[in-house]
């Protein structure tokens, strides 16, 4: 069935919100785009005259498609090589969706997207729709075919699973650059103590290389262990240069709302290192080096002044 001009306009108006919901649910921009496209195919064949509220209909279809994808993704990740981390997205990308409130901004951070992997599929959908998009429990109940009381219970349980008790430091581009400059100065100094001072006592370091590069099977925990790992990681040598085809420039960016080191060679992003910063220091260092998860970052890369040239 062909979609008329009005129906196409309705869908395109909803597309940014649908992409933002799907990204928070799936942790992958490419998977989010696929889920939205599948939603469009169902919109194409729908009886539009019978749909009273297109936004609610589209959200329901998308949410259920994402529920199915979450279930299959859990099975795939059991055989994933190394650690799994979400796909990083630069500030300004519409995939990040609304960012007016602290809850909306936190819901898309790499740390929170990683934490949300602990949730059941239903818990994740309820949490995202309620926390980031302000849907009422009644609306969510209709989307998931649950009772309103059940949705409220699921939401409370999800909040408990995700509670960290930390206060995240929010930054703009200038603040992010200052944090990255300080982090890189310590990491490149070869002085472990300088790094330890920046890290929270229970800091973690996790990395996703997708099996393309050698990576650790589990996160590293504890300030001293993380500092030693980072010191080694940032020590330049010929083997690293050969692996990436030469020297890289290191930039400071805001990625998923947090300061990040972006490693760039030529016109390609080779890695994104996100820094979760709280009032206690850097609590998490998330390194995304899986090339399959950096295509969007490369496509949206705009350059700028590097913090470090020719690393």
């Amino acid at each position: 069935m062909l979609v008329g001009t009005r129906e196409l306009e309705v869908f395109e108006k909803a597309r940014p919100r649908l992409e933002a919901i799907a990204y928070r649910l799936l942790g992958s921009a490419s998977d989010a785009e696929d889920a939205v496209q599948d939603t469009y195919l169902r919109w194409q064949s729908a009886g539009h005259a019978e749909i009273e509220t297109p936004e609610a209909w589209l959200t329901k279809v998308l949410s259920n498609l994402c529920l199915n994808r979450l279930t299959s993704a859990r099975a795939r990740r059991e055989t994933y090589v190394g650690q799994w981390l979400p796909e990083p997205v630069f500030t300004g990308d519409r995939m990040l969706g609304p960012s007016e409130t602290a809850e909306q901004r936190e819901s898309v951070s790499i740390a929170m997207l990683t934490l949300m992997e602990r949730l059941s599929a239903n818990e994740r959908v309820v949490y995202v729709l309620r926390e980031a998009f302000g849907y009422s429990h009644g609306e969510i109940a209709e989307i998931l075919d649950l009772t309103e009381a059940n949705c409220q219970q699921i939401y409370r349980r999800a909040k408990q699973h995700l509670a960290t008790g930390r206060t995240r430091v929010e930054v703009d581009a200038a603040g992010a650059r200052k944090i990255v400059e300080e982090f890189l100065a310590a990491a490149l100094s070869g002085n472990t103590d300088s790094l330890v001072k920046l890290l929270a006592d229970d800091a973690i370091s996790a990395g996703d290389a997708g099996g393309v590069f050698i990576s650790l099977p589990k996160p590293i925990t504890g300030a001293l262990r993380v500092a030693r790992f980072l010191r080694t990681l940032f020590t330049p040598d010929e083997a690293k240069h050969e692996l990436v085809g030469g020297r890289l420039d290191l930039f400071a960016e805001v990625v998923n709302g947090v300061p990040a080191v972006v490693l760039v060679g030529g016109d390609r992003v080779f890695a994104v290192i996100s820094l979760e910063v709280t009032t206690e220091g850097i609590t998490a260092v998330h390194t995304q080096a899986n090339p399959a998860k950096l295509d969007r970052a490369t496509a949206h890369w705009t350059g700028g002044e590097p913090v470090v040239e020719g690393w």
Side-chain angles (χ1 to χ4, degrees):
M1 181 185 296
L2 293 176
V3 176
T5 302
R6 179 184 174 280
E7 287 76 24
L8 182 59
E9 288 176 352
V10 167
F11 186 85
E12 289 304 321
K13 183 179 179 180
R15 184 186 290 274
R17 179 180 56 83
L18 296 175
E19 287 182 348
I21 291 172
Y23 175 66
R24 283 170 166 83
L25 291 178
L26 302 173
S28 164
S30 57
D31 286 349
E33 288 179 331
D34 290 345
V36 171
Q37 184 60 25
D38 287 346
T39 302
Y40 175 71
L41 295 177
R42 283 157 177 75
W43 175 248
Q44 255 187 331
S45 58
H48 300 113
E50 302 169 6
I51 299 174
E52 294 183 7
T53 313
E55 177 181 316
W57 189 94
L58 290 168
T59 303
K60 182 181 179 72
V61 170
L62 176 77
S63 297
N64 282 287
L65 286 168
C66 287
L67 278 170
N68 293 334
R69 287 175 176 269
L70 282 169
T71 302
S72 60
R74 288 183 188 280
R76 291 197 307 271
R77 284 169 198 166
E78 289 179 3
T79 58
Y80 193 82
V81 179
Q83 301 166 59
W84 182 94
L85 289 176
E87 181 179 346
V89 176
F90 291 131
T91 290
D93 191 319
R94 73 181 189 185
M95 193 67 69
L96 294 177
S99 59
E100 286 77 25
T101 69
E103 290 79 14
Q104 289 172 334
R105 293 189 291 273
E106 184 177 23
S107 71
V108 82
S109 72
I110 294 295
M112 183 56 72
L113 290 173
T114 303
L115 273 179
M116 281 198 278
E117 290 294 303
R118 301 176 180 178
L119 303 180
S120 69
N122 271 348
E123 285 173 342
R124 189 161 184 167
V125 173
V126 170
Y127 178 82
V128 165
L129 292 181
R130 178 66 178 159
E131 195 79 356
F133 294 90
Y135 282 80
S136 70
H137 287 297
E139 290 170 322
I140 299 171
E142 289 185 17
I143 289 170
L144 296 179
D145 295 323
L146 299 170
T147 67
E148 187 170 342
N150 196 3
C151 278
Q152 290 173 334
Q153 184 180 35
I154 290 171
Y155 176 67
R156 284 195 298 270
R157 192 163 60 235
K159 289 267 287 185
Q160 290 170 355
H161 288 323
L162 297 175
T164 64
R166 299 184 191 274
T167 302
R168 192 160 67 92
V169 175
E170 299 197 34
V171 298
D172 55 13
R177 185 176 181 90
K178 183 177 179 181
I179 289 170
V180 168
E181 286 175 345
E182 188 176 8
F183 173 77
L184 286 177
L188 295 170
S189 71
N191 187 332
T192 303
D193 290 341
S194 297
L195 275 166
V196 169
K197 290 177 182 177
L198 299 180
L199 300 168
D201 291 342
D202 58 350
I204 70 163
S205 176
D208 181 345
V212 178
F213 305 115
I214 296 174
S215 61
L216 298 173
K218 294 181 180 180
I220 299 169
T221 59
L224 182 57
R225 294 185 67 212
V226 170
R228 287 171 175 166
F229 170 75
L230 291 173
R231 184 192 63 193
T232 302
L233 179 67
F234 278 96
T235 300
D237 57 50
E238 291 306 314
K240 291 189 181 80
H241 295 154
E242 186 175 344
L243 193 63
V244 299
R247 293 181 176 272
L248 302 177
D249 294 331
L250 311 184
F251 294 83
E253 286 290 338
V254 180
V255 175
N256 292 76
V258 303
V261 183
V262 182
L263 287 74
V264 180
D267 58 356
R268 177 155 190 84
V269 173
F270 280 90
V272 175
I273 303 174
S274 304
L275 307 175
E276 188 71 13
V277 184
T278 73
T279 52
E280 300 170 33
I282 298 173
T283 56
V285 180
H286 293 112
T287 302
Q288 182 55 263
N290 182 348
K293 295 184 181 181
L294 293 171
D295 286 340
R296 190 179 186 90
T298 294
H300 286 71
W301 175 245
T302 57
E305 182 184 351
V307 176
V308 176
E309 291 185 82
W311 172 77

